[in-house]
């Protein structure tokens, strides 16, 4: 196992002068050099062959003891220079000051055989100066969720950080899962995440908040040179073009989330990637019954700041914070405001309309058709994923029989005559629109099935895999990765994984504890 490392982040940006691995404020620096904590009994749970391939690793490499040692943090390969980065952020709308990689340690930047740059990052590998009196560790439960969801999102076509491997450490980690005073020991684990960059909005915010404009400029110049080199040499114009691109990518990201029914759960500015990736899988969740107000995060259940329907607005707010951070480099805040409107608000609206039309197999977005559908979906508990797949199955060219849709409802008692009339009316309007667009039924069905997944990481499926893994059985994690690898295919042998959430898991909410 040999990588070609080119650690530009630490080679071009200033380092923390102190070598002390204690929790503290780190000034005048972008990162601190740290060593991952040694663990007693590393044991591989799973790896992603697709991510391995990005790094030019084959199965033999991934199944080796060396791999297990390296990606649990026990062994540092030549060329690896472990470091944690400094960032800040707004958490739930409030400025939270310095946050940083509290339990993430970057091992280095790999240049693969295609000359692509991939950063390797261990999550849960122990304390760093940014750990804020926490342990820097992660438990199996949250690591399974991060591993599976990163890969599921990628296969769904949603931009995301990737996961190379999930390794048990052999250590026990104390966690109060529901924040109710009942702490217990859980198995510790480390995920190796992989992305072209892990830079977040909060990286810019921390230097701006400290009025360290020199470092802010250096950091932005470095970001442009490494991750946005197509924009040209850093200058005020390039900064503006860069901000426009971040807006654009963020808009596309959120449109994808709304398409597949993903709720991030903690859209704090430190969890927003500048390249528009889904990052930091914590208390995320997948919509089962369609509900715009739903959030999986118990920590946010009072204010519901990060609920499903609010994600587009929150992304705008977060981008506005990023704009505030770079104002000192631009001086004209109005320019940034205009870019935000054009490259986020307008472009989100355009992409969202296109996406919603595609979910129905239509070319043209019809606002009232879509908004009436939203009302319909929420008037009785309707499984969003199943609804769109079943809708593709209905023959819309003759007399409409909506029987396939009844499978999407959680409570059949609600399907009263009034609801059925409304549904019928909506389907008739939909049929009329389809007729206008003169699309064949087979074409409509196959188009819809390329944007409406059959398989998503339903919250209870992840939980079942976690429970089995905590008892030493990893087969369900492997099966889920297989299922989620081709989420738009029918695959009858896996149909169990496309079923509605069973009654016994009705109120599955998650806290931030991980
Ligand atoms: P999150 O809400 O997961 O995005 O985390 C917010 C901040 O808390 C980040 O700076 C994390 O690195 C840090 N953090 C979360 N969990 C831990 C932990 N167990 N140990 C140290 N730092 C943590
Ligand atoms: Mg985070």
């Amino acid at each position: 196992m040999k990588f070609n490392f080119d650690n530009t982040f630490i080679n071009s940006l200033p380092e923390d002068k102190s070598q002390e691995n204690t929790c503290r404020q780190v000034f005048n620096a972008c990162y601190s050099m740290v060593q991952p904590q040694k663990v007693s009994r590393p044991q591989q749970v799973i790896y992603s062959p697709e991510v391995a391939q990005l790094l030019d690793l084959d199965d033999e490499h991934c199944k080796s003891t060396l791999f297990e040692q390296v990606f649990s943090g026990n062994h540092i390969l030549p060329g690896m220079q472990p470091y944690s980065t400094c960032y800040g952020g707004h958490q739930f709308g409030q400025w939270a000051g310095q946050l940083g990689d509290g339990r993430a340690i970057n091992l280095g930047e790999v240049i693969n055989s295609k000359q692509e740059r991939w950063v390797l990052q261990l999550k849960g590998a122990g304390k760093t100066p940014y750990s804020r009196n926490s342990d820097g560790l992660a438990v199996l439960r949250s690591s399974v969720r991060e591993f599976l969801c990163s890969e599921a999102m990628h296969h769904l076509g949603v931009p995301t950080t990737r996961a190379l491997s999930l390794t048990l450490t052999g250590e026990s980690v104390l966690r109060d899962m529901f924040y109710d005073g009942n702490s217990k020991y859980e198995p510790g684990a480390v995920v190796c995440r992989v992305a072209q960059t892990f830079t977040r909005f909060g990286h810019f915010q921390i230097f701006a908040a400290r009025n360290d404009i020199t470092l802010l400029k250096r950091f932005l110049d470095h970001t442009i040179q490494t991750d946005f080199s197509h924009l040209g040499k850093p200058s005020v114009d390039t900064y503006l073009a860069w901000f426009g691109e971040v807006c654009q990518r963020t808009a596309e990201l959120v449109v994808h989330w709304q398409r597949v029914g993903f709720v991030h759960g903690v859209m704090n500015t430190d969890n927003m990637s500048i390249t528009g990736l889904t990052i930091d899988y914590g208390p995320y969740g997948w919509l089962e019954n369609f509900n715009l107000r739903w959030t999986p995060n118990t920590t946010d259940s009072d204010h519901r700041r990060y609920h499903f329907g609010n994600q587009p607005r929150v992304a705008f707010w977060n981008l506005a914070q990023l704009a505030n951070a770079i104002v000192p480099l631009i001086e004209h805040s109005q320019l940034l405001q205009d870019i935000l409107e054009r490259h986020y608000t307008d472009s989100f609206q355009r992409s969202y309309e296109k996406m919603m039309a595609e979910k129905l197999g239509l070319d043209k977005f019809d606002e009232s058709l879509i908004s009436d559908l939203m009302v319909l979906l929420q008037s009785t508990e309707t499984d969003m994923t199943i609804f769109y797949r079943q809708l593709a199955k209905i023959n819309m060219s003759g007399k409409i029989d909506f029987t396939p849709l009844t499978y999407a409802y959680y409570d059949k008692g609600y399907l009263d005559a009034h609801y059925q009339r409304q549904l019928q009316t909506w389907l008739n309007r939909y049929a009329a629109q389809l007729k206008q667009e003169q699309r064949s039924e087979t074409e409509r069905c196959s188009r819809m099935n390329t944007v409406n997944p059959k398989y998503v990481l339903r919250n209870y499926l992840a939980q079942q895999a976690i429970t089995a893994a905590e008892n030493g059985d990893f087969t369900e994690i492997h099966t889920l990765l297989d299922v989620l690898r081709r989420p738009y295919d029918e695959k009858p042998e896996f149909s169990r994984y496309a079923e509605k959430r069973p009654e016994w898991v009705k109120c599955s909410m998650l806290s931030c504890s991980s």
Side-chain angles (χ1 to χ4, degrees):
M1 193 162 51
K2 205 164 164 289
F3 297 108
N4 175 21
F5 285 106
D6 174 33
N7 302 326
T8 58
F9 193 95
I10 59 169
N11 288 334
S12 353
L13 294 167
E15 178 181 333
D16 177 8
K17 295 275 180 298
S18 164
Q19 297 280 326
E20 224 181 284
N21 193 355
T22 49
C23 295
R24 56 198 161 78
Q25 293 291 307
V26 174
F27 294 103
N28 310 313
C30 297
Y31 61 91
S32 311
M33 301 307 288
V34 278
Q35 289 295 314
Q37 183 176 312
K38 294 271 182 287
V39 301
S40 57
R41 267 177 301 115
Q43 181 193 3
Q44 184 177 88
V45 175
I46 192 167
Y47 68 90
S48 159
E50 293 86 358
V51 181
Q53 212 173 27
L54 296 175
L55 303 167
D56 305 316
L57 297 176
D58 59 25
D59 286 339
E60 207 180 311
H61 291 127
C62 297
K63 288 179 177 157
S64 67
T65 319
L66 180 62
F67 184 93
E68 211 168 51
Q69 291 290 336
V70 170
F71 295 106
S72 60
N74 264 2
H75 183 88
I76 303 299
L77 290 173
M80 285 181 170
Q81 294 175 290
Y83 62 96
S84 294
T85 71
C86 180
Y87 57 77
H90 279 89
Q91 296 186 314
F92 299 95
Q94 306 292 326
W95 174 244
Q98 178 184 297
L99 297 167
D101 290 325
R103 53 167 168 179
I105 299 181
N106 300 285
L107 295 174
E109 302 172 39
V110 172
I111 308 292
N112 72 6
S113 54
K114 292 185 182 149
Q115 299 306 307
E116 295 163 338
R117 177 178 302 277
W118 293 104
V119 182
L120 306 180
Q121 182 180 84
L122 300 183
K123 181 167 176 179
K127 280 190 185 169
T128 79
Y130 312 96
S131 297
R132 302 187 297 148
N133 299 321
S134 216
D135 55 14
L137 303 174
V139 293
L140 179 61
R141 159 174 63 83
S142 62
S143 307
V144 169
R145 285 170 49 82
E146 169 122 23
F147 180 92
L148 285 176
C149 202
S150 322
E151 290 309 285
M153 292 290 258
H154 168 75
H155 295 298
L156 282 165
V158 184
T160 177
T161 60
R162 305 292 301 273
L164 170 67
S165 59
L166 163 55
T167 315
L168 276 165
T169 58
E171 312 294 337
S172 293
V173 176
L174 193 61
R175 283 291 180 273
D176 182 355
M177 181 160 54
F178 297 110
Y179 296 132
D180 61 359
N182 291 313
S183 299
K184 70 172 181 102
Y185 281 99
E186 298 188 46
V190 173
V191 169
C192 177
R193 308 200 281 198
V194 176
Q196 299 209 289
T197 173
F198 286 97
T199 300
R200 304 141 187 268
F201 292 8
H203 277 105
F204 300 90
Q205 288 186 281
I206 190 72
F207 305 128
R210 288 171 172 172
N211 204 21
D212 190 343
I213 309 307
T214 315
L215 205 43
L216 176 67
K217 181 173 182 316
R218 260 182 93 172
F219 197 87
L220 180 51
D221 289 353
H222 172 76
T223 301
I224 290 172
Q225 278 153 0
T226 40
D227 302 310
F228 293 81
S229 56
H230 55 278
L231 296 177
K233 267 180 48 185
S235 68
V236 172
D237 284 343
T238 323
Y239 299 157
L240 292 170
W242 173 80
F243 182 64
E245 191 168 329
V246 178
C247 288
Q248 190 87 34
R249 291 196 197 195
T250 306
E252 279 157 25
L253 174 69
V254 180
V255 169
H256 277 297
W257 289 354
Q258 306 309 99
R259 169 174 67 85
V260 298
F262 175 80
V263 190
H264 184 286
V266 212
M267 286 177 74
N268 293 332
T269 56
D270 53 305
N271 290 339
M272 296 292 293
S273 141
I274 47 130
T275 47
L277 304 175
T278 313
I279 190 170
D280 273 13
Y281 291 91
Y284 68 81
W286 292 83
L287 277 191
E288 284 160 337
N289 53 298
F290 184 83
N291 175 1
L292 286 165
R293 294 267 305 152
W294 186 69
T295 173
N297 183 356
T298 44
T299 319
D300 190 29
S301 57
D302 289 343
H303 300 289
R304 296 188 176 260
R305 180 179 175 89
Y306 298 142
H307 68 254
F308 179 64
N310 213 30
Q311 297 190 123
R313 271 186 296 272
V314 171
F316 176 92
W317 191 88
N318 289 344
L319 283 162
Q321 306 316 309
L322 177 63
N324 281 339
I326 61 165
V327 165
L329 305 178
I330 314 274
E331 282 171 8
H332 297 291
S333 57
Q334 189 54 43
L335 288 175
L336 290 166
Q337 183 68 33
D338 295 345
I339 293 173
L340 187 54
E341 292 295 341
R342 228 179 26 251
H343 292 267
Y344 182 77
T345 311
D346 299 350
S347 114
F348 176 83
Q349 196 55 31
R350 264 196 316 278
S351 310
Y352 181 78
E353 290 178 3
K354 180 167 174 286
M355 177 276 286
M356 287 308 290
E358 282 170 357
K359 278 183 88 66
L360 296 178
L362 292 167
D363 274 337
K364 197 170 143 276
F365 172 76
D366 176 332
E367 182 161 10
S368 78
L369 189 71
I370 302 287
S371 58
D372 290 352
L373 175 61
M374 303 288 109
V375 173
L376 206 58
L377 288 176
Q378 290 183 100
S379 64
T380 177
E381 278 192 296
T382 313
D383 191 279
M384 170 179 151
T385 308
I386 298 176
F387 180 88
Y388 285 104
R389 290 295 285 209
Q390 295 297 93
L391 186 62
K393 282 189 188 153
I394 297 181
N395 181 357
M396 298 297 298
S397 59
K399 181 166 164 23
I400 303 167
D401 173 8
F402 60 69
T403 317
L405 288 182
T406 54
Y407 179 57
Y409 302 116
Y410 280 92
D411 185 353
K412 300 235 172 9
Y414 266 101
L415 300 181
D416 55 16
H418 174 67
Y419 179 86
Q420 292 192 20
R421 262 198 315 279
Q422 281 185 316
L423 178 62
Q424 192 69 58
T425 310
W426 186 85
L427 287 167
N428 291 342
R429 283 165 60 202
Y430 176 39
Q433 173 101 28
L434 286 166
K435 202 163 167 203
Q436 252 184 25
E437 294 192 3
Q438 297 184 329
R439 196 168 295 287
S440 82
E441 276 297 280
T442 5
E443 197 195 340
R444 175 183 74 95
C445 179
S446 62
R447 272 170 49 124
M448 285 174 75
N449 287 350
T450 60
V451 291
N452 298 316
K454 171 144 178 161
Y455 300 96
V456 294
L457 184 59
R458 289 174 181 273
N459 311 313
Y460 84 95
L461 292 175
Q463 191 49 51
Q464 284 176 335
I466 291 164
T467 309
E470 287 175 342
N471 291 314
D473 178 359
F474 307 145
T475 45
E476 204 52 26
I477 299 179
H478 286 257
T479 311
L480 271 179
L481 180 62
D482 264 353
V483 172
L484 298 167
R485 196 170 264 136
R486 301 222 312 278
Y488 300 98
D489 293 1
E490 276 297 322
K491 289 182 300 215
E493 73 277 21
F494 286 139
S495 58
R496 167 172 108 65
Y497 295 92
E499 282 170 9
K500 280 194 292 261
R501 168 199 70 209
E503 199 47 37
W504 54 266
V505 279
K506 193 153 181 195
C507 54
S508 52
M509 292 274 279
L510 297 146
S511 73
C512 281
S513 162
S514 54

